[in-house]
Amino acid sequence: MSIEALNLEIYNCKKCRLWQGAKHGVPGEGPLNAMVMIVGQNPGADEDELGRPFVGRAGKYLTKTLLEFGIKREEIFITNIVKHISPKNRKPFDDEVRACLPYLIAQIRIIKPQIIVLLGASAKETPRIDGIEYVQIIHPSAAMRFTKMGEKFREQVAGLAKRLQQN
Ligand code: SF4
């Protein structure tokens, strides 16, 4: 399946209840030959408004921190476990995650990243696929709020940058 066909399915998807409160589906974005994929948990209000992932405060913080360590966001495919916003930004329910996971798996199969970076709680829900390296880092929204987590987040992004230099 092409990424365009997959995106269209996501825009029209009603496989769980989340589409009902959403303005836009947020499939994710980035180059199809991306070496790195970043996976968050769910789109927030800014993402829902624009139909794009990680464009709110946390997304800007993530983009800025990646760049500080020489990682360009436009070279990464960024997406979420579920593709529609959840009410009051709550954690997606298990049945919503289950309903939406086939889209993430299809994206992984299309992009074929070498590394998948899991942000915060998305680590528990993302399926592991042989041959892909998984790196877990603190979610940027937590890193922005708590100094210690912010320091750890920077260390983790620095580690990722170092790992990418080895390729
Ligand atoms: S969150 Fe996923 S499964 Fe649920 S309606 Fe949106 S695209 Fe479909």
Side-chain angles (χ1 to χ4, degrees):
M1 182 186 274
S2 70
I3 198 84
E4 291 81 10
L6 186 65
N7 289 352
L8 200 59
E9 263 197 42
I10 292 169
Y11 294 138
N12 294 311
C13 182
K14 295 181 177 172
K15 286 198 293 178
C16 81
R17 60 189 78 73
L18 292 183
W19 68 275
Q20 294 170 11
K23 289 185 183 159
H24 294 106
V26 186
E29 64 185 25
L32 298 187
N33 63 350
M35 195 169 99
V36 178
M37 180 183 265
I38 293 182
V39 181
Q41 190 167 63
N42 55 285
D46 294 310
E47 290 75 18
D48 179 50
E49 194 64 44
L50 297 175
R52 294 184 55 213
F54 284 91
V55 289
R57 280 187 67 220
K60 289 188 178 118
Y61 179 78
L62 172 67
T63 303
K64 178 172 129 320
T65 310
L66 288 171
L67 195 56
E68 273 180 50
F69 290 95
I71 306 172
K72 294 183 187 138
R73 173 180 164 133
E74 56 271 23
E75 292 176 358
I76 292 176
F77 192 92
I78 305 189
T79 187
N80 286 292
I81 300 269
V82 297
K83 313 304 191 190
H84 283 104
I85 190 171
S86 50
K88 297 189 178 155
N89 217 20
R90 65 157 168 77
K91 186 180 180 306
F93 296 148
D94 287 350
D95 65 325
E96 294 160 351
V97 169
R98 271 198 306 278
C100 212
L101 267 187
Y103 294 128
L104 177 62
I105 293 168
Q107 287 173 323
I108 294 172
R109 296 209 189 285
I110 292 169
I111 310 294
K112 298 185 182 67
Q114 290 180 31
I115 299 172
I116 296 185
V117 179
L118 304 166
L119 300 181
S122 71
K124 270 206 301 251
E125 293 147 351
T126 302
R128 304 304 198 259
I129 294 175
D130 283 349
I132 297 176
E133 183 181 337
Y134 290 82
V135 177
Q136 187 179 349
I137 66 175
I138 289 168
H139 197 285
S141 60
M144 281 167 57
R145 273 182 285 148
F146 305 105
T147 309
K148 284 267 178 254
M149 284 199 177
E151 287 166 6
K152 183 76 187 160
F153 176 74
R154 290 178 64 79
E155 271 173 34
Q156 290 171 328
V157 174
L160 176 66
K162 209 167 163 186
R163 168 69 190 80
L164 293 179
Q165 281 163 9
Q166 291 163 1
N167 280 68

